[in-house]
Amino acid sequence: MQTEDPALTRLRVVRWMQLLTPLMLAWFVWAAATADPGFGLTGKRLIVVLATAVFVTGVFGRNATTELPVRPAHVVFVGAMLVSSVALVAVQPSGPGSVAVLVAVLCAATALMPVRVAVPALIVAFVVLEMVASITGQDFGFLAVLAGFAVLFGLLYLAFRLAESQRETKRLLAQLEAGQAALAEAAGLAERQWLAREMHDVLAHSLSGLLLHLEGARMLITEDPTDPRVPVAVDRAHHLARTGLEEARRAIGTLRDDDLPGPDRLAALAEQFTRDQAVPCDFAVSGEPHPLKPEARLALYRVAQEALTNVTRHASPTRVSLRLAYESTDTRLTVEDFAARPPVIPAETDGYGLTGMRERAELLGGTLSAGATGHGFRVELVVPA
């Protein structure tokens, strides 16, 4: 809903005041006829008749042409009202000419001037007429009527402005409610996306390792059920399943503001990878540790976890390097594998691994790069300090 134009508000006020026009004109004609000099066909009396007739005609013509934008005919009728009312004041000082002058000024102000100009113009006109009445000894009863007319105009104008303000308030409240609903929807969507990333990272890591160990155990059982490596493979699978369940519970627990995994658990993650995959994973920290936001701490852990999962799924490395560097303005995590044969580069369309890692980095204002090296594959995450 758009705010109503102030000119339309003034137009409404004027139209409401037009309902009083017949009564006011009847009083005006009666006052002009009974004042001195009154109506006649010669001299000043004829001028009074003509001025009264022109003023009445101007009022009706002005009311008939009260439209936006203002038309030339409207200006002509208002001008006729001004001229005839001034002439009436000149030839009939004790008559209703002063009222006619202020009415004409009121019509001109409301039609041709903005509010900030119209109101001062009306005040100046009223003061001038009062001074003229004081000098000429004119009856102040006319000015009292005129003052009442001005007060009525002001009250009507204020009433319309109040209604306009109420409509604007309702519009703003509706916009506020719509904005709050949009924010709630966006927050819900962001929470679902966050939970999807968390569950993907947790399940991809644990289930990938679990699948590999179960597949190894199945092959061993097929070849030789008494192979002593079978219990070891089953124990590792059991350990991965239990760890994955704990990680899933921890991911759900973050919704309750429970403890989030962070850089302090990277060493344990590297040890777990070495134990489960039988591949050395060395972990090193450089630089002076500095505080990180919970989201950044979680991102460092999840990216390392996802990168190690990709190593398990797509590479046959001889060793893996996990590096955490605290720099002056950033924190840098590097996961790099060293393979005996060229790696199988994970495709973006194969899942949400690399996509999820990049989303985490972008949400933090950081960057994530991933690509093949001459000896394997490297994932590097940089988040602001």
PDB file of all heavy atoms in Angstrom, residues 173-197:
ATOM      1  N   LEU A 173       3.367  -2.266   9.645  1.00  0.00           N
ATOM      2  CA  LEU A 173       3.236  -3.464  10.467  1.00  0.00           C
ATOM      3  C   LEU A 173       3.140  -4.714   9.599  1.00  0.00           C
ATOM      4  O   LEU A 173       3.729  -5.757   9.926  1.00  0.00           O
ATOM      5  CB  LEU A 173       2.003  -3.352  11.372  1.00  0.00           C
ATOM      6  CG  LEU A 173       2.130  -2.389  12.554  1.00  0.00           C
ATOM      7  CD1 LEU A 173       0.799  -2.274  13.290  1.00  0.00           C
ATOM      8  CD2 LEU A 173       3.218  -2.831  13.517  1.00  0.00           C
ATOM      9  N   ALA A 174       2.381  -4.613   8.494  1.00  0.00           N
ATOM     10  CA  ALA A 174       2.279  -5.762   7.583  1.00  0.00           C
ATOM     11  C   ALA A 174       3.639  -6.095   6.981  1.00  0.00           C
ATOM     12  O   ALA A 174       4.006  -7.271   6.857  1.00  0.00           O
ATOM     13  CB  ALA A 174       1.259  -5.455   6.482  1.00  0.00           C
ATOM     14  N   GLN A 175       4.410  -5.067   6.613  1.00  0.00           N
ATOM     15  CA  GLN A 175       5.746  -5.305   6.080  1.00  0.00           C
ATOM     16  C   GLN A 175       6.653  -5.941   7.133  1.00  0.00           C
ATOM     17  O   GLN A 175       7.458  -6.831   6.822  1.00  0.00           O
ATOM     18  CB  GLN A 175       6.357  -3.998   5.587  1.00  0.00           C
ATOM     19  CG  GLN A 175       5.772  -3.484   4.284  1.00  0.00           C
ATOM     20  CD  GLN A 175       6.501  -2.262   3.783  1.00  0.00           C
ATOM     21  OE1 GLN A 175       7.260  -1.627   4.525  1.00  0.00           O
ATOM     22  NE2 GLN A 175       6.265  -1.898   2.543  1.00  0.00           N
ATOM     23  N   LEU A 176       6.538  -5.464   8.386  1.00  0.00           N
ATOM     24  CA  LEU A 176       7.355  -6.028   9.461  1.00  0.00           C
ATOM     25  C   LEU A 176       7.031  -7.497   9.675  1.00  0.00           C
ATOM     26  O   LEU A 176       7.929  -8.335   9.826  1.00  0.00           O
ATOM     27  CB  LEU A 176       7.130  -5.236  10.744  1.00  0.00           C
ATOM     28  CG  LEU A 176       7.890  -5.718  11.984  1.00  0.00           C
ATOM     29  CD1 LEU A 176       9.389  -5.643  11.744  1.00  0.00           C
ATOM     30  CD2 LEU A 176       7.504  -4.883  13.205  1.00  0.00           C
ATOM     31  N   GLU A 177       5.742  -7.838   9.684  1.00  0.00           N
ATOM     32  CA  GLU A 177       5.354  -9.237   9.869  1.00  0.00           C
ATOM     33  C   GLU A 177       5.853 -10.094   8.716  1.00  0.00           C
ATOM     34  O   GLU A 177       6.336 -11.216   8.920  1.00  0.00           O
ATOM     35  CB  GLU A 177       3.827  -9.334   9.995  1.00  0.00           C
ATOM     36  CG  GLU A 177       3.286  -8.712  11.278  1.00  0.00           C
ATOM     37  CD  GLU A 177       1.769  -8.732  11.323  1.00  0.00           C
ATOM     38  OE1 GLU A 177       1.157  -9.166  10.315  1.00  0.00           O
ATOM     39  OE2 GLU A 177       1.193  -8.317  12.344  1.00  0.00           O
ATOM     40  N   ALA A 178       5.744  -9.567   7.484  1.00  0.00           N
ATOM     41  CA  ALA A 178       6.239 -10.322   6.336  1.00  0.00           C
ATOM     42  C   ALA A 178       7.749 -10.510   6.419  1.00  0.00           C
ATOM     43  O   ALA A 178       8.272 -11.583   6.098  1.00  0.00           O
ATOM     44  CB  ALA A 178       5.859  -9.604   5.034  1.00  0.00           C
ATOM     45  N   GLY A 179       8.464  -9.453   6.862  1.00  0.00           N
ATOM     46  CA  GLY A 179       9.914  -9.570   7.007  1.00  0.00           C
ATOM     47  C   GLY A 179      10.309 -10.579   8.061  1.00  0.00           C
ATOM     48  O   GLY A 179      11.253 -11.362   7.871  1.00  0.00           O
ATOM     49  N   GLN A 180       9.592 -10.583   9.189  1.00  0.00           N
ATOM     50  CA  GLN A 180       9.893 -11.556  10.240  1.00  0.00           C
ATOM     51  C   GLN A 180       9.624 -12.980   9.767  1.00  0.00           C
ATOM     52  O   GLN A 180      10.379 -13.910  10.083  1.00  0.00           O
ATOM     53  CB  GLN A 180       9.063 -11.241  11.483  1.00  0.00           C
ATOM     54  CG  GLN A 180       9.488  -9.962  12.200  1.00  0.00           C
ATOM     55  CD  GLN A 180       8.589  -9.632  13.370  1.00  0.00           C
ATOM     56  OE1 GLN A 180       7.454 -10.109  13.460  1.00  0.00           O
ATOM     57  NE2 GLN A 180       9.075  -8.796  14.281  1.00  0.00           N
ATOM     58  N   ALA A 181       8.540 -13.156   8.992  1.00  0.00           N
ATOM     59  CA  ALA A 181       8.245 -14.490   8.471  1.00  0.00           C
ATOM     60  C   ALA A 181       9.336 -14.944   7.504  1.00  0.00           C
ATOM     61  O   ALA A 181       9.750 -16.110   7.515  1.00  0.00           O
ATOM     62  CB  ALA A 181       6.882 -14.488   7.777  1.00  0.00           C
ATOM     63  N   ALA A 182       9.815 -14.012   6.667  1.00  0.00           N
ATOM     64  CA  ALA A 182      10.886 -14.353   5.722  1.00  0.00           C
ATOM     65  C   ALA A 182      12.173 -14.705   6.458  1.00  0.00           C
ATOM     66  O   ALA A 182      12.883 -15.649   6.086  1.00  0.00           O
ATOM     67  CB  ALA A 182      11.123 -13.195   4.757  1.00  0.00           C
ATOM     68  N   LEU A 183      12.481 -13.944   7.530  1.00  0.00           N
ATOM     69  CA  LEU A 183      13.679 -14.248   8.310  1.00  0.00           C
ATOM     70  C   LEU A 183      13.577 -15.615   8.983  1.00  0.00           C
ATOM     71  O   LEU A 183      14.557 -16.375   9.025  1.00  0.00           O
ATOM     72  CB  LEU A 183      13.897 -13.163   9.367  1.00  0.00           C
ATOM     73  CG  LEU A 183      14.399 -11.809   8.861  1.00  0.00           C
ATOM     74  CD1 LEU A 183      14.452 -10.805  10.011  1.00  0.00           C
ATOM     75  CD2 LEU A 183      15.766 -11.950   8.211  1.00  0.00           C
ATOM     76  N   ALA A 184      12.385 -15.923   9.507  1.00  0.00           N
ATOM     77  CA  ALA A 184      12.210 -17.230  10.142  1.00  0.00           C
ATOM     78  C   ALA A 184      12.364 -18.356   9.122  1.00  0.00           C
ATOM     79  O   ALA A 184      12.982 -19.391   9.404  1.00  0.00           O
ATOM     80  CB  ALA A 184      10.828 -17.297  10.802  1.00  0.00           C
ATOM     81  N   GLU A 185      11.826 -18.141   7.922  1.00  0.00           N
ATOM     82  CA  GLU A 185      11.953 -19.163   6.881  1.00  0.00           C
ATOM     83  C   GLU A 185      13.414 -19.332   6.466  1.00  0.00           C
ATOM     84  O   GLU A 185      13.897 -20.459   6.276  1.00  0.00           O
ATOM     85  CB  GLU A 185      11.104 -18.774   5.675  1.00  0.00           C
ATOM     86  CG  GLU A 185      11.127 -19.799   4.556  1.00  0.00           C
ATOM     87  CD  GLU A 185      10.234 -19.392   3.391  1.00  0.00           C
ATOM     88  OE1 GLU A 185       9.553 -18.346   3.503  1.00  0.00           O
ATOM     89  OE2 GLU A 185      10.222 -20.109   2.376  1.00  0.00           O
ATOM     90  N   ALA A 186      14.117 -18.203   6.327  1.00  0.00           N
ATOM     91  CA  ALA A 186      15.536 -18.280   5.954  1.00  0.00           C
ATOM     92  C   ALA A 186      16.350 -18.968   7.039  1.00  0.00           C
ATOM     93  O   ALA A 186      17.259 -19.760   6.747  1.00  0.00           O
ATOM     94  CB  ALA A 186      16.080 -16.876   5.695  1.00  0.00           C
ATOM     95  N   ALA A 187      16.032 -18.667   8.310  1.00  0.00           N
ATOM     96  CA  ALA A 187      16.748 -19.309   9.412  1.00  0.00           C
ATOM     97  C   ALA A 187      16.501 -20.816   9.416  1.00  0.00           C
ATOM     98  O   ALA A 187      17.418 -21.612   9.646  1.00  0.00           O
ATOM     99  CB  ALA A 187      16.320 -18.693  10.746  1.00  0.00           C
ATOM    100  N   GLY A 188      15.256 -21.211   9.158  1.00  0.00           N
ATOM    101  CA  GLY A 188      14.952 -22.642   9.099  1.00  0.00           C
ATOM    102  C   GLY A 188      15.688 -23.333   7.969  1.00  0.00           C
ATOM    103  O   GLY A 188      16.213 -24.441   8.128  1.00  0.00           O
ATOM    104  N   LEU A 189      15.746 -22.663   6.804  1.00  0.00           N
ATOM    105  CA  LEU A 189      16.466 -23.240   5.664  1.00  0.00           C
ATOM    106  C   LEU A 189      17.959 -23.359   5.961  1.00  0.00           C
ATOM    107  O   LEU A 189      18.587 -24.378   5.649  1.00  0.00           O
ATOM    108  CB  LEU A 189      16.239 -22.373   4.429  1.00  0.00           C
ATOM    109  CG  LEU A 189      16.959 -22.822   3.148  1.00  0.00           C
ATOM    110  CD1 LEU A 189      16.494 -24.221   2.748  1.00  0.00           C
ATOM    111  CD2 LEU A 189      16.690 -21.828   2.021  1.00  0.00           C
ATOM    112  N   ALA A 190      18.530 -22.309   6.572  1.00  0.00           N
ATOM    113  CA  ALA A 190      19.960 -22.357   6.910  1.00  0.00           C
ATOM    114  C   ALA A 190      20.242 -23.470   7.915  1.00  0.00           C
ATOM    115  O   ALA A 190      21.265 -24.168   7.819  1.00  0.00           O
ATOM    116  CB  ALA A 190      20.403 -21.004   7.469  1.00  0.00           C
ATOM    117  N   GLU A 191      19.330 -23.659   8.869  1.00  0.00           N
ATOM    118  CA  GLU A 191      19.536 -24.712   9.864  1.00  0.00           C
ATOM    119  C   GLU A 191      19.467 -26.093   9.218  1.00  0.00           C
ATOM    120  O   GLU A 191      20.265 -26.981   9.536  1.00  0.00           O
ATOM    121  CB  GLU A 191      18.476 -24.588  10.959  1.00  0.00           C
ATOM    122  CG  GLU A 191      18.641 -25.588  12.091  1.00  0.00           C
ATOM    123  CD  GLU A 191      17.631 -25.387  13.203  1.00  0.00           C
ATOM    124  OE1 GLU A 191      16.978 -24.328  13.217  1.00  0.00           O
ATOM    125  OE2 GLU A 191      17.505 -26.291  14.033  1.00  0.00           O
ATOM    126  N   ARG A 192      18.520 -26.253   8.273  1.00  0.00           N
ATOM    127  CA  ARG A 192      18.434 -27.549   7.587  1.00  0.00           C
ATOM    128  C   ARG A 192      19.689 -27.817   6.758  1.00  0.00           C
ATOM    129  O   ARG A 192      20.190 -28.941   6.723  1.00  0.00           O
ATOM    130  CB  ARG A 192      17.185 -27.577   6.695  1.00  0.00           C
ATOM    131  CG  ARG A 192      15.879 -27.667   7.467  1.00  0.00           C
ATOM    132  CD  ARG A 192      14.730 -28.029   6.563  1.00  0.00           C
ATOM    133  NE  ARG A 192      14.484 -27.014   5.550  1.00  0.00           N
ATOM    134  CZ  ARG A 192      13.688 -25.970   5.709  1.00  0.00           C
ATOM    135  NH1 ARG A 192      13.058 -25.798   6.866  1.00  0.00           N
ATOM    136  NH2 ARG A 192      13.495 -25.106   4.738  1.00  0.00           N
ATOM    137  N   GLN A 193      20.186 -26.779   6.079  1.00  0.00           N
ATOM    138  CA  GLN A 193      21.399 -26.955   5.291  1.00  0.00           C
ATOM    139  C   GLN A 193      22.591 -27.289   6.188  1.00  0.00           C
ATOM    140  O   GLN A 193      23.423 -28.137   5.844  1.00  0.00           O
ATOM    141  CB  GLN A 193      21.682 -25.682   4.486  1.00  0.00           C
ATOM    142  CG  GLN A 193      20.677 -25.431   3.362  1.00  0.00           C
ATOM    143  CD  GLN A 193      20.932 -24.125   2.652  1.00  0.00           C
ATOM    144  OE1 GLN A 193      21.598 -23.240   3.186  1.00  0.00           O
ATOM    145  NE2 GLN A 193      20.403 -23.977   1.454  1.00  0.00           N
ATOM    146  N   TRP A 194      22.673 -26.605   7.327  1.00  0.00           N
ATOM    147  CA  TRP A 194      23.771 -26.883   8.255  1.00  0.00           C
ATOM    148  C   TRP A 194      23.703 -28.317   8.758  1.00  0.00           C
ATOM    149  O   TRP A 194      24.716 -29.034   8.807  1.00  0.00           O
ATOM    150  CB  TRP A 194      23.703 -25.908   9.417  1.00  0.00           C
ATOM    151  CG  TRP A 194      24.682 -26.226  10.505  1.00  0.00           C
ATOM    152  CD1 TRP A 194      25.990 -25.861  10.575  1.00  0.00           C
ATOM    153  CD2 TRP A 194      24.421 -27.007  11.677  1.00  0.00           C
ATOM    154  NE1 TRP A 194      26.561 -26.358  11.713  1.00  0.00           N
ATOM    155  CE2 TRP A 194      25.628 -27.070  12.407  1.00  0.00           C
ATOM    156  CE3 TRP A 194      23.297 -27.660  12.180  1.00  0.00           C
ATOM    157  CZ2 TRP A 194      25.726 -27.742  13.615  1.00  0.00           C
ATOM    158  CZ3 TRP A 194      23.392 -28.342  13.366  1.00  0.00           C
ATOM    159  CH2 TRP A 194      24.599 -28.383  14.080  1.00  0.00           C
ATOM    160  N   LEU A 195      22.504 -28.754   9.144  1.00  0.00           N
ATOM    161  CA  LEU A 195      22.354 -30.110   9.654  1.00  0.00           C
ATOM    162  C   LEU A 195      22.655 -31.133   8.565  1.00  0.00           C
ATOM    163  O   LEU A 195      23.260 -32.182   8.839  1.00  0.00           O
ATOM    164  CB  LEU A 195      20.934 -30.306  10.189  1.00  0.00           C
ATOM    165  CG  LEU A 195      20.643 -31.645  10.881  1.00  0.00           C
ATOM    166  CD1 LEU A 195      21.596 -31.854  12.034  1.00  0.00           C
ATOM    167  CD2 LEU A 195      19.199 -31.701  11.349  1.00  0.00           C
ATOM    168  N   ALA A 196      22.272 -30.818   7.308  1.00  0.00           N
ATOM    169  CA  ALA A 196      22.575 -31.733   6.206  1.00  0.00           C
ATOM    170  C   ALA A 196      24.081 -31.865   6.011  1.00  0.00           C
ATOM    171  O   ALA A 196      24.592 -32.972   5.800  1.00  0.00           O
ATOM    172  CB  ALA A 196      21.911 -31.231   4.920  1.00  0.00           C
ATOM    173  N   ARG A 197      24.806 -30.751   6.103  1.00  0.00           N
ATOM    174  CA  ARG A 197      26.262 -30.819   5.971  1.00  0.00           C
ATOM    175  C   ARG A 197      26.876 -31.619   7.106  1.00  0.00           C
ATOM    176  O   ARG A 197      27.782 -32.438   6.899  1.00  0.00           O
ATOM    177  CB  ARG A 197      26.859 -29.403   5.948  1.00  0.00           C
ATOM    178  CG  ARG A 197      26.646 -28.660   4.648  1.00  0.00           C
ATOM    179  CD  ARG A 197      27.531 -27.422   4.594  1.00  0.00           C
ATOM    180  NE  ARG A 197      27.222 -26.484   5.669  1.00  0.00           N
ATOM    181  CZ  ARG A 197      26.349 -25.495   5.562  1.00  0.00           C
ATOM    182  NH1 ARG A 197      25.694 -25.306   4.423  1.00  0.00           N
ATOM    183  NH2 ARG A 197      26.126 -24.689   6.572  1.00  0.00           N
TER     184      ARG A 197
END
